[in-house]
Amino acid sequence: MKKSDNTRREFLKAMGWGAASLAAGGCTGNFNWLEGEKNRRRPNIIFIMADDHAAHALSCYGSKINQTPNLDRIAHEGVRFDNCFCTNGICAPSRAVILTGKYSHLNGHIDNTKTFDGSQQTFPKILQKAGYQTALIGKWHLKSDPQGFDYWNILPGQGDYYNPDFIEMGTNTKYHGYVTDIITDLCLDWLKDRRPDQPFCLMYHHKAPHRSWIPALRHLSLYDDCDIPLPENFFDDYATRSDAARQQEMTVAHHLLLHNDLKVSPLPDEKSTDQKWWLENYNRMDEQQKKLWDAYYGPRNEAFRRTTFTPQELAKFKYQRYLKDYLRCIAAVDENVGRLLDYLNQTHLAENTVVVYTSDQGFYLGDHGWFDKRFMYEESLRMPFIVRWPKMTKPGRVSREMVMNLDFAPTFLDLAGLSVPRDMQGRSLQPILRGKHPGDWRTAVYYHYYEYPGWHMVKRHYGIRTQRYKLIHFYYDIDAWELYDLQQDPYELNNLYHNPAYGDIVKKLKSQLQLLRKEYGDSDELTQKYLDEYLRQRREKPTIHQ
Ligand SMILES: [Ca+2]
C-alpha cells in the first residue's frame, strides 16, 4: 500500500469510517484528494449563544410563558439536554469557560470585572489551526480583542439594542436597525462570502435577551392580550434559607429600575438616578423609531402614573412589564435563528452542519421573586442546550446526563475529528449525541461563583449538584450551607441542611464536593487568592464594580 493510502486509512479510521469507505472512495491517493475529502466530511459548526435566555423560556423545554417554534426545530430535529449546567453563572466567566474548556479558577476569568487573557488556548484557535474558517459575530463581552478568528465583528461591551456600534476587526461601525436582526444579517453575509472548500465554525452570539430587555418595534405589542403567569415561587419568603437569599439585590419588587428597566420614561422635571441606560438607549433611536416607541409606551406609562398600586400590585405590574419585554426580545431571537436555519436548508448546508443553541447561563423569570442570575439555584444554573447534526443526531432525542458548559470546547474539537487537549477539563458529548449513555459519565457537577461584593450582592458560593441533591456553601462575610432535595422540592424553597434526617446525605455530599474541588484543581488557597485580588482591585478602582 502506498504511503498516501496509509495516511488516508488513518484519517478514515479517525473519523470512524472503515475499509469500505476506503474501497468505495476511488484510489487517486493524492494529497489534494485527501484534503478535499477531509474538508468535505468535517462538519461545520454554528454555535448560537443568547445572553441570559433561561431554558424555561423555550417551548421545547416546556415553557409555560412563550413559544419558540424556530429554536424548537433544533431540539425536535436533534438532541435536547435537560441537565446542562454552567460552572459560574454570570456572563463573561461562562463565555471564558466555553472558550477554554477550563473552570474559572484555571482560565482566570472569575468575574465580569476581568479582562480575558486571549493568549491562552481556546477551541476556536485549535479549529483555526486545523483548517477551519472561524468567525465570531455579535456579543463578545470579554474586553480583550478576540483571537483565533479569521473574521470578527463584535458589539463593544454589552452593546446596544438600537442602531448599535460594532467593532469589525478593530474598526468601529454604526449599523441602523435592531441588534438581533443585524447580528443575523452579518452572519448570513459571512456565510455567503466564506470559502466553500473549507469547513467553518461560526460563533453567532446574540445580545438578547440581556437587561434592559428592549424589544424590536415589531414586537412591542406581543403579549398585550394576556397576563404572563407568575412562577410558583414568586412570593418566596426565604424562610428556611441562609442570609444570602435574603440579602441579595435582585428582586422584581424592589430592584428593577423604573426608567432603565421598565421603560417608564422620566417626566421632564424627574431627576432620577436610574435614567442613564434608558436615555442612552432612547437617544440612539432615530425619529421614526422614537415615534413608534412613544406611541406604544406613552399611553401605557400615563396609565401607570394615574394608578395607585398596593405593594403587591406594583410587584405584579413590574413582573408583567419585565417578563413581556424579556419574551419580546426572545421572539426576535427565535425569528432570526429561523432565518439562519432556513438558509442552511436552502443551501444544503444543514446536513453536515452542527447547530448548537445555548445561553451563557439561565435567568430568574420572577422565580424566587428575582430577575438576574448568579445563584446556584436551578433557574440560572441550568442552560438551554440543544444540538442538531442530521448526520449524527436522531430527531427528538432527550438526554438527562449531567453536562456542563465546560464540555462544549471538547465536544466541538471531537466533532471536528481533533484530539482534545489534556488540560481541558470537560468531556466530549459525542457519545451522547450518538445516543449512547456512557456508564462512566459524571454523576455530579461543581459550581463556583465569585463576584461579591458587587452587582446584585449575591454572596460568594460554591457547591455540588447531583441528579437529586444540591449542597451550597456561601462564604466570605457569611459561612452558611444549604441543602435541597430536588426530587421533593424542585423549586428549592426548603433548605434541609439543618434537618438531622439528612445528616448522612450532607456528609456524603461534602465529601463528594471536596473530591470535585480537588479533581478540578480548585482549593481554599486559590479561593483566597482570588478573593484578595478582588478586594484589592475594589479598593484601588471602586468604579469597576458599579
Ligand atoms: Ca449572560
Side-chain angles (χ1 to χ4, degrees):
M1 183 179 282
K2 290 182 290 186
K3 190 181 173 191
S4 55
D5 278 343
N6 270 334
T7 313
R8 190 172 156 214
R9 189 179 294 281
E10 279 165 24
F11 166 68
L12 291 168
K13 197 176 160 197
M15 298 297 284
W17 304 319
S21 306
L22 181 67
C27 287
T28 56
N30 68 52
F31 181 76
N32 287 339
W33 179 91
L34 180 64
E35 280 302 296
E37 186 63 8
K38 183 172 147 189
N39 285 338
R40 194 174 67 76
R41 295 275 188 160
R42 291 196 295 182
N44 306 305
I45 298 167
I46 299 184
F47 177 43
I48 314 171
M49 183 155 64
D51 195 334
D52 296 352
H53 188 178
H56 52 312
L58 279 111
S59 37
C60 60
Y61 279 94
S63 170
K64 297 171 185 165
I65 54 177
N66 68 331
Q67 293 294 315
T68 48
N70 291 297
L71 298 173
D72 292 359
R73 284 164 63 185
I74 302 171
H76 295 159
E77 296 164 13
V79 183
R80 186 188 82 209
F81 287 81
D82 278 3
N83 282 323
C84 180
F85 304 108
C86 58
T87 61
N88 180 3
I90 182 171
C91 305
S94 177
R95 289 157 197 269
V97 168
I98 289 168
L99 285 167
T100 60
K102 292 178 186 169
Y103 266 94
S104 305
H105 57 266
L106 294 190
N107 70 44
H109 209 91
I110 59 160
D111 60 55
N112 271 347
T113 69
K114 295 281 182 189
T115 297
F116 183 64
D117 170 13
S119 69
Q120 62 188 308
Q121 170 185 270
T122 63
F123 81 82
K125 281 187 189 176
I126 298 172
L127 287 176
Q128 187 185 44
K129 206 172 165 191
Y132 268 71
Q133 294 168 81
T134 55
L136 163 71
I137 295 170
K139 177 94 176 253
W140 171 243
H141 200 218
L142 290 171
K143 296 182 188 166
S144 53
D145 281 354
Q147 295 185 34
F149 298 98
D150 298 319
Y151 176 79
W152 52 273
N153 198 354
I154 57 170
L155 295 164
Q158 293 286 4
D160 291 296
Y161 275 101
Y162 277 88
N163 308 330
D165 289 326
F166 278 74
I167 308 170
E168 183 186 28
M169 310 284 283
T171 305
N172 274 45
T173 312
K174 185 174 181 178
Y175 290 79
H176 185 266
Y178 185 66
V179 68
T180 307
D181 304 332
I182 295 166
I183 290 171
T184 310
D185 288 343
L186 292 170
C187 285
L188 291 171
D189 288 347
W190 184 82
L191 284 170
K192 287 167 192 165
D193 291 344
R194 79 189 199 287
R195 292 184 302 276
D197 58 337
Q198 272 182 288
F200 64 83
C201 173
L202 169 62
M203 316 262 280
Y204 165 31
H205 289 188
H206 284 295
K207 167 185 172 57
H210 191 276
R211 191 183 189 183
S212 0
W213 318 293
I214 301 179
L217 295 169
R218 65 185 181 278
H219 292 134
L220 287 181
S221 60
L222 193 64
Y223 306 110
D224 258 3
D225 55 349
C226 64
D227 272 349
I228 309 293
L230 287 169
E232 303 271 345
N233 51 5
F234 185 72
F235 293 109
D236 187 355
D237 61 4
Y238 319 124
T240 66
R241 317 273 277 283
S242 71
D243 282 342
R246 283 182 283 275
Q247 293 175 356
Q248 44 61 42
E249 295 178 358
M250 50 191 259
T251 61
V252 169
H254 304 294
H255 299 105
L256 278 176
L257 302 170
L258 195 62
H259 308 312
N260 281 335
D261 291 328
L262 299 173
K263 289 88 182 177
V264 177
S265 46
L267 298 172
D269 59 346
E270 205 162 19
K271 299 291 179 214
S272 163
T273 53
D274 95 65
Q275 297 184 30
K276 187 169 173 281
W277 307 336
W278 183 88
L279 277 173
E280 279 171 8
N281 281 297
Y282 187 73
N283 288 339
R284 292 193 76 88
M285 294 183 188
D286 66 23
E287 290 312 307
Q288 180 63 15
Q289 289 167 335
K290 281 180 182 170
K291 198 172 149 192
L292 292 167
W293 181 269
D294 292 340
Y296 180 79
Y297 283 107
R300 287 161 181 80
N301 288 342
E302 282 172 28
F304 167 78
R305 289 182 184 280
R306 284 196 304 269
T307 309
T308 307
F309 294 95
T310 65
Q312 198 168 80
E313 285 167 349
L314 185 59
K316 285 181 180 173
F317 166 84
K318 289 179 177 178
Y319 169 79
Q320 290 299 328
R321 188 161 277 195
Y322 153 50
L323 244 290
K324 286 182 180 181
D325 284 343
Y326 176 87
L327 296 176
R328 289 163 182 155
C329 290
I330 290 171
V333 172
D334 185 69
E335 279 178 6
N336 276 286
V337 170
R339 283 209 290 147
L340 186 106
L341 295 177
D342 289 345
Y343 175 81
L344 297 181
N345 285 344
Q346 287 153 13
T347 52
H348 308 290
L349 280 169
E351 181 67 13
N352 198 28
T353 299
V354 180
V355 177
V356 171
Y357 183 83
T358 190
S359 165
D360 51 357
Q361 79 300 297
F363 214 65
Y364 296 98
L365 311 181
D367 316 281
H368 301 286
W370 297 334
F371 63 100
D372 211 72
K373 51 253 181 181
R374 302 163 198 269
F375 276 113
M376 198 190 161
Y377 304 123
E378 290 296 277
E379 295 85 352
S380 63
L381 176 68
R382 186 182 302 282
M383 303 165 78
F385 187 60
I386 47 181
V387 183
R388 184 190 77 174
W389 180 18
K391 274 196 170 177
M392 181 182 285
T393 56
K394 281 194 180 155
R397 185 175 284 150
V398 175
S399 159
R400 288 194 48 77
E401 271 86 4
M402 304 190 82
V403 309
M404 297 188 271
N405 53 351
L406 200 63
D407 301 324
F408 297 178
T411 302
F412 294 142
L413 296 178
D414 192 25
L415 293 180
L418 302 168
S419 56
V420 178
R422 293 177 69 84
D423 59 349
M424 282 192 176
Q425 297 180 298
R427 189 168 164 182
S428 170
L429 303 172
Q430 174 152 200
I432 299 175
L433 290 169
R434 286 187 184 279
K436 296 194 170 65
H437 301 281
D440 61 346
W441 197 258
R442 70 172 71 87
T443 55
V445 296
Y446 173 63
Y447 182 89
H448 196 159
Y449 171 79
Y450 298 83
E451 195 176 294
Y452 179 87
W455 277 100
H456 299 295
M457 297 303 277
V458 173
K459 294 185 192 296
R460 290 164 178 257
H461 57 289
Y462 58 82
I464 178 173
R465 187 204 190 279
T466 65
Q467 288 281 6
R468 176 160 180 184
Y469 296 104
K470 185 183 294 177
L471 181 75
I472 312 174
H473 181 213
F474 292 96
Y475 70 93
Y476 171 52
D477 56 355
I478 187 174
D479 180 8
W481 292 82
E482 294 183 2
L483 171 72
Y484 297 96
D485 181 342
L486 301 168
Q487 197 170 298
Q488 303 291 331
D489 177 27
Y491 297 107
E492 296 167 293
L493 297 167
N494 190 17
N495 172 21
L496 298 164
Y497 183 75
H498 299 289
N499 184 332
Y502 286 83
D504 286 347
I505 287 164
V506 165
K507 204 172 157 192
K508 193 177 160 203
L509 286 169
K510 278 190 176 175
S511 152
Q512 245 183 306
L513 176 59
Q514 283 317 312
L515 284 175
L516 283 183
R517 278 169 69 80
K518 198 171 171 192
E519 178 188 333
Y520 289 122
D522 203 359
S523 63
D524 292 343
E525 292 72 30
L526 259 185
T527 301
Q528 189 63 44
K529 176 184 103 75
Y530 282 122
L531 176 60
D532 292 344
E533 195 178 291
Y534 184 87
L535 295 176
R536 187 173 60 246
Q537 181 182 267
R538 194 174 160 82
R539 277 194 304 274
E540 288 167 2
K541 201 176 173 189
T543 52
I544 205 164
H545 298 284
Q546 288 169 9

